[in-house]
Amino acid sequence: MKKKVLVIYYSQTGQLKEIAQNLVQPFEKNQNYDLDYYNIQPKKEFPFPWDNESFFGVFPESFAQLPAEIKAPPENILKTDYDLIILAYQIWFLTPSIPINSFMKSEYAEKLIKGKRVVTTIGCRNMWAKSQEKMKLLVKNVGGKLVGNVAFVDRHLNHISVITIVHWMMGGKKNKKFGILPKPGVSEKDIMNASEFGELIIQADQNNNYNNLQNDIITAGGSNIKPFIIFMDEKANKMFAIWSRFILKNTKNRKKKLKFFKIYLLTVIWIVSPIVYLIFLLTYPLRIRQIRNKKTYYSELN
Ligand SMILES: Cc1cc2nc3c(=O)[nH]c(=O)nc-3n(C[C@H](O)[C@H](O)[C@H](O)COP(=O)(O)O)c2cc1C
């Protein structure tokens, strides 16, 4: 009997969909597998391209992981007993995006994922470490067994990727800002080569042994995070928690609070973080062991 694989995803620009489709190419090509795709659909769609107000407007709920309503998955998918789940998600404000979080907190997630092996696949700018911690918990809460994680990121300098992703998210086109900056998002080469990781997953499945999958993914470069990005992710999560609670406390002055949050965020990105980066570099030798431990911790599954 054929094995059944379900790819669960949500994608606004199509980038993550393309990554997921390429990742599962080895399964598509293998006659022993049947593949289904489930595209999460929020009842109220999020805009793309974004405008300033809607972009910052999703911050409090996104960070607090408050679910929104989603449409029910098709009946035939809900009825199928899958052998493997590929869970492809993007990150909004250091957290699994509202659509994926809403699915993971819905009744459908347990139905589809309970007792199943799950490989998470991230497509984001570059800051995914703490978000994956939240995803680990979401998978655990619905009784899934996380067996792998592959992260696809923009490999350009952090500040360059901030400029280019804003250009993409607000303008709607994945092209070069001013005609000279690099293209935003995950590179075409990395998207094309996603099937390399699919090969590792199918091998693990065929051997019915997933014990080494994450190590193989790490060796192939699929779970790499820069130390400073981890550092910023951890610090920003603490601050975002305070901001999100403050904005959600009551609806009064929400717009004003969001404006302050935006100013705060831009100040941190453009003024605070370059200074912190310098300090981070100067104190790097003192932190080498801690940095190595964190890199290992976040790239693994436990
Ligand atoms: C509201 C919003 C917030 C985002 N926050 C982050 C973030 O915190 N970290 C990150 O690496 N990428 C972030 N991104 C980029 C997304 O993770 C993702 O790469 C991009 O939205 C394209 O994904 P998609 O078209 O497949 O949905 C954000 C995007 C949006 C729209």
Side-chain angles (χ1 to χ4, degrees):
M1 232 187 31
K2 285 188 176 190
K3 282 188 153 183
K4 294 189 180 304
V5 179
L6 177 64
V7 181
I8 300 174
Y9 72 96
Y10 169 84
S11 183
Q12 283 201 305
T13 69
Q15 175 181 272
L16 188 59
K17 184 179 177 189
E18 207 185 338
I19 291 172
Q21 281 174 331
N22 288 345
L23 183 96
V24 297
Q25 271 298 308
F27 290 92
E28 287 274 11
K29 288 184 187 149
N30 191 310
Q31 294 189 344
N32 296 325
Y33 292 89
D34 263 342
L35 263 176
D36 283 333
Y37 289 86
Y38 162 45
N39 175 14
I40 297 167
Q41 287 180 295
K43 281 196 178 161
K44 189 171 169 279
E45 264 302 346
F46 294 92
F48 185 77
W50 295 80
D51 56 63
N52 244 300
E53 204 178 319
S54 52
F55 185 87
F56 288 97
V58 294
F59 160 70
E61 283 77 10
S62 184
F63 190 80
Q65 294 190 264
L66 299 179
E69 281 192 293
I70 57 168
K71 293 182 188 165
E75 266 310 305
N76 64 315
I77 286 183
L78 282 175
K79 278 189 193 144
T80 307
D81 186 17
Y82 290 99
D83 297 284
L84 175 67
I85 308 288
I86 308 289
L87 191 58
Y89 77 98
Q90 62 286 96
I91 290 163
W92 289 0
F93 295 106
L94 314 178
T95 309
S97 68
I98 292 181
I100 197 86
N101 178 65
S102 305
F103 164 72
M104 291 303 288
K105 292 193 167 172
S106 73
E107 58 188 294
Y108 315 119
E110 195 170 322
K111 250 187 200 152
L112 291 168
I113 294 177
K114 192 173 180 176
K116 303 289 188 299
R117 286 173 172 142
V118 178
V119 175
T120 47
T121 303
I122 301 168
C124 69
R125 186 175 68 82
N126 65 10
M127 224 172 255
W128 58 267
K130 292 291 282 180
S131 170
Q132 180 63 5
E133 291 301 292
K134 299 169 196 178
M135 183 49 92
K136 285 177 187 170
L137 198 61
L138 289 169
V139 172
K140 191 168 163 231
N141 286 348
V142 293
K145 185 173 174 354
L146 187 64
V147 292
N149 175 49
V150 196
F152 294 84
V153 299
D154 182 335
R155 295 176 189 253
H156 294 103
L157 279 178
N158 189 41
H159 279 84
I160 298 283
S161 70
V162 172
I163 300 172
T164 59
I165 203 162
V166 170
H167 166 73
W168 180 24
M169 293 296 114
M170 303 290 171
K173 292 209 172 89
K174 197 179 179 182
N175 58 10
K176 297 182 174 190
K177 186 173 168 89
F178 309 130
I180 46 166
L181 287 181
K183 272 194 184 176
V186 179
S187 72
E188 273 155 34
K189 185 165 163 255
D190 285 346
I191 296 177
M192 287 297 293
N193 292 342
S195 63
E196 206 184 292
F197 297 100
E199 291 288 354
L200 300 177
I201 302 167
I202 202 169
Q203 269 168 30
D205 196 71
Q206 285 170 335
N207 298 332
N208 199 24
N209 182 353
Y210 279 82
N211 294 341
N212 282 327
L213 176 62
Q214 191 58 19
N215 278 340
D216 293 343
I217 291 172
I218 293 170
T219 309
S223 186
N224 199 17
I225 339 172
K226 291 178 184 160
F228 185 65
I229 300 291
I230 298 177
F231 180 81
M232 286 302 283
D233 197 345
E234 289 182 337
K235 299 282 174 273
N237 259 273
K238 289 192 180 136
M239 293 310 294
F240 277 17
I242 296 170
W243 274 102
S244 169
R245 251 184 313 207
F246 167 64
I247 298 166
L248 290 172
K249 212 163 163 187
N250 50 44
T251 49
K252 225 176 104 194
N253 295 329
R254 183 179 163 110
K255 275 194 179 171
K256 222 183 247 168
K257 289 183 201 166
L258 284 169
K259 269 190 190 147
F260 281 122
F261 172 69
K262 180 185 165 185
I263 295 168
Y264 158 80
L265 194 59
L266 294 180
T267 313
V268 168
I269 292 173
W270 295 108
I271 299 171
V272 179
S273 102
I275 300 168
V276 174
Y277 184 54
L278 253 180
I279 298 169
F280 184 83
L281 283 183
L282 290 172
T283 55
Y284 196 89
L286 304 173
R287 302 164 184 262
I288 278 190
R289 184 186 291 190
Q290 188 200 30
I291 288 168
R292 210 176 285 148
N293 289 346
K294 284 199 173 176
K295 253 182 93 95
T296 308
Y297 171 75
Y298 285 115
S299 57
E300 289 179 349
L301 301 178
N302 297 318

